[in-house]
């Protein structure tokens, strides 16, 4: 079976030619796929052709296996199933400026961060570009199906995408680059790359490569510690690349793209949340065009790390402010539906409800 969702219009035209179809079918297929249609919904294709295509190709490689909607803020957590039976998570959030979807880039993750649920069973496989796009198409179908009659345009489809679900995007570099280029195709979902954030645990060589791609995505870097010793306790990748190397790669990204870098810092009690850690962090980041996003750790039961109190977050934030480091506390959404990385999938795996 050929997966068509990861192909760009030129590739789809070429695929049509190889399969004895006129080139204009390629354009039609591209438009239908990006609108979230399966072959049977492609109404301007003759029925026999639709049936023939369904025998040899997949239009929609992702389905919603399960969805949970937060009663608190309308956040929707999806469990997406892939054609081989694997599943990944995504989270759809409603902000005043429009809808944001957090997508996964791998089934599981091999980075081994001490606080993260996605990595507990390692990485099963990387997602294809079509499978990343497919998560957006599912969310768009959901939004269209649940819209009120007077819903504003910005809430009818996904406007912002964050690559912060399970997986390490830069460990799946080529597929992620292909996916990003698909997003900005005019005939497709047409999402500006300025509305896309890519989060990495800090794979330094790939951060340099990304800076050369000419793709104006926001780079988010998971720092979680103000020095190498502490970072190594939380993130195995810190044994390969030092903070100095990570920060140098960030500086290069800012220089090449003109875009500030976001640092993610998950606060966990008894580890990295003291005011002295905030002071050290401020020293390390001084002079860099950046913003710090503080995330109160979402405790994962298998991990044994503790969350922090509101006072601890405020104290940390006020040190950064005093040191003139731009910082905010990430708003928590979907608190009632297990919003943290990998938690929903994990529960399903445990209950054997899905493979
Ligand atoms: N692999 C990428 C993106 C996926 S995780 C990365 O490491 O950046 C997205 C963010 O959520 C990362 O900053 C990650 O460190 C953080 N995260 C993972 N588990 C968490 C938890 N239990 N509580 C708070 N943040 C968590």
């Amino acid at each position: 079976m050929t997966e068509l969702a990861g192909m760009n219009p030129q590739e789809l035209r070429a695929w049509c030619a190889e399969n004895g179809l006129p080139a204009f079918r390629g354009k039609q297929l591209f438009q239908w796929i990006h609108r979230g249609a399966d072959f049977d919904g492609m109404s301007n294709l003759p029925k026999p052709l639709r049936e023939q295509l369904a025998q040899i190709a997949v239009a929609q490689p992702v389905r919603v296996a399960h969805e949970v909607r937060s009663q608190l803020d309308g956040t929707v957590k999806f469990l997406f199933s892939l054609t081989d039976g694997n599943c990944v998570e995504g989270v759809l959030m409603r902000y005043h400026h429009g809808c944001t979807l957090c997508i996964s880039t791998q089934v599981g993750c091999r980075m081994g961060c001490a606080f993260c649920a996605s990595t507990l069973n390692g990485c099963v496989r990387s997602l294809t570009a079509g499978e990343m796009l497919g998560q957006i198409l599912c969310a768009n179908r959901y939004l269209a199906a649940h819209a009120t009659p007077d819903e504003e345009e910005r809430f009818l489809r996904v406007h912002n995408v964050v690559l912060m679900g399970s997986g390490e995007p830069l460990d799946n570099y080529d597929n992620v680059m292909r996916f990003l280029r698909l997003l900005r195709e005019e005939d497709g979902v047409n999402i500006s790359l300025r509305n896309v954030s890519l989060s990495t645990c800090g794979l330094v060589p790939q951060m340099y490569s990304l800076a050369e791609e000419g793709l104006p995505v926001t780079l988010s870097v998971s720092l979680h510690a103000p020095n190498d010793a502490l970072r190594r306790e939380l993130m195995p990748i810190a044994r390969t690349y030092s903070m100095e190397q990570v920060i140098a790669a960030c500086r290069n990204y800012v220089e090449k793209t003109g875009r500030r870098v976001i640092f993610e810092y998950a606060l966990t009690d008894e580890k990295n949340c003291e005011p002295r850690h905030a002071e050290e962090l401020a020293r390390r980041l001084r002079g860099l065009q950046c913003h710090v996003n503080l995330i109160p750790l979402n405790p994962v039961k298998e991990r044994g790390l503790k969350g922090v109190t509101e006072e601890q977050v405020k104290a940390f934030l006020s040190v950064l402010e005093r040191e003139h480091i731009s910082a905010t506390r990430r708003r928590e959404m979907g608190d009632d539906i297990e919003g943290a990385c990998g938690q929903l999938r994990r529960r399903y795996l445990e209950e054997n409800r899905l493979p």
Side-chain angles (χ1 to χ4, degrees):
M1 292 293 245
T2 309
E3 187 196 273
L4 303 182
M7 294 187 190
N8 63 34
Q10 297 82 313
E11 289 164 338
L12 270 175
R13 274 203 296 276
W15 184 81
C16 283
E18 279 164 28
N19 287 277
L21 297 171
F24 72 91
R25 294 287 182 214
K27 186 180 167 93
Q28 289 176 325
L29 280 170
F30 187 85
Q31 288 174 333
W32 278 120
I33 290 168
H34 281 241
R35 269 184 241 157
D38 217 333
F39 294 117
D40 56 10
M42 300 185 180
S43 54
N44 59 358
L45 268 63
K47 194 151 186 264
L49 175 59
R50 288 188 249 154
E51 286 168 359
Q52 187 196 329
L53 288 171
Q55 298 296 314
I56 57 167
V58 177
Q60 299 298 332
V62 183
R63 309 265 161 209
V64 175
H66 189 72
E67 67 198 36
V68 201
R69 190 184 171 94
S70 161
Q71 297 306 309
L72 300 173
D73 53 31
T75 296
V76 185
K77 181 112 198 196
F78 293 108
L79 192 69
F80 295 120
S81 63
L82 311 174
T83 50
D84 64 356
N86 274 304
C87 59
V88 293
E89 285 166 62
V91 187
L92 181 63
M93 291 155 286
R94 200 182 149 107
Y95 290 107
H96 66 277
H97 54 273
C99 289
T100 296
L101 182 69
C102 172
I103 65 160
S104 292
T105 56
Q106 295 178 316
V107 181
C109 184
R110 62 187 184 119
M111 295 297 134
C113 296
F115 41 79
C116 183
S118 300
T119 198
L120 285 167
N121 292 343
C123 180
V124 179
R125 70 170 174 86
S126 282
L127 297 194
T128 63
E131 288 170 331
M132 292 178 236
L133 177 77
Q135 298 171 60
I136 300 178
L137 303 178
C138 283
N140 281 346
R141 284 197 297 269
Y142 177 94
L143 287 167
H146 290 79
T148 52
D150 55 351
E151 192 66 285
E152 291 171 58
E153 208 281 325
R154 65 185 193 281
F155 297 122
L156 285 174
R157 60 188 190 90
V158 172
H159 271 253
N160 310 289
V161 177
V162 297
L163 280 64
M164 293 188 185
S166 67
E168 167 49 49
L170 296 184
D171 187 36
N172 182 14
Y173 191 87
D174 293 342
N175 289 333
V176 168
M177 294 308 123
R178 166 174 281 278
F179 161 70
L180 293 176
R181 293 196 159 88
L182 278 176
L183 287 183
R184 60 177 183 185
E185 287 287 346
E186 261 177 39
D187 267 348
V189 289
N190 208 351
I191 294 175
S192 160
L193 293 185
R194 297 191 175 277
N195 298 346
V196 176
S197 291
L198 183 155
S199 180
T200 178
C201 62
L203 300 187
V204 167
Q206 290 91 326
M207 289 165 71
Y208 280 99
S209 305
L210 182 66
E212 302 299 325
E213 297 282 351
L215 301 171
V217 297
T218 299
L219 180 63
S220 290
V221 179
S222 300
L223 215 48
H224 303 323
N227 58 56
D228 282 316
L230 200 49
R231 197 159 184 263
R232 280 187 211 121
E233 279 184 41
L234 297 170
M235 306 175 73
I237 193 67
R239 291 178 213 141
T240 309
Y241 305 111
S242 68
M243 258 182 82
E244 201 166 304
Q245 289 172 304
V246 171
I247 290 172
C250 291
R251 190 164 286 121
N252 175 69
Y253 194 81
V254 173
E255 279 164 15
K256 293 275 160 61
T257 64
R259 301 181 68 75
R260 71 175 184 176
V261 169
I262 309 285
F263 290 109
E264 291 157 276
Y265 194 107
L267 290 162
T268 164
D269 195 23
E270 294 165 17
K271 279 275 174 215
N272 63 358
C273 68
E274 300 293 324
R276 66 186 160 90
H277 295 128
E279 281 160 17
E280 193 177 0
L281 181 66
R283 271 199 302 282
R284 298 299 292 261
L285 301 184
R286 184 145 298 130
L288 183 63
Q289 207 179 314
C290 68
H291 179 83
V292 177
N293 221 330
L294 294 178
I295 317 164
L297 184 93
N298 208 327
V300 174
K301 75 171 187 316
E302 293 86 344
R303 291 314 212 174
L305 287 168
K306 286 191 229 143
V308 285
T309 62
E310 205 49 49
E311 285 65 44
Q312 286 172 300
V313 180
K314 280 194 188 128
F316 201 94
L317 196 55
S318 70
V319 173
L320 293 180
E321 280 165 358
R322 191 188 72 210
E323 300 294 325
H324 306 291
I325 300 289
S326 159
T328 41
R329 171 200 201 289
R330 180 184 290 171
R331 204 174 127 203
E332 280 149 295
M333 298 184 86
D335 245 5
D336 53 338
I337 53 167
E338 295 185 287
C341 251
Q343 290 187 350
L344 184 66
R345 171 169 176 265
R346 194 151 175 82
R347 184 156 60 78
Y348 272 77
L349 292 177
E350 275 170 6
E351 292 171 7
N352 285 324
R353 284 213 254 164
L354 274 168

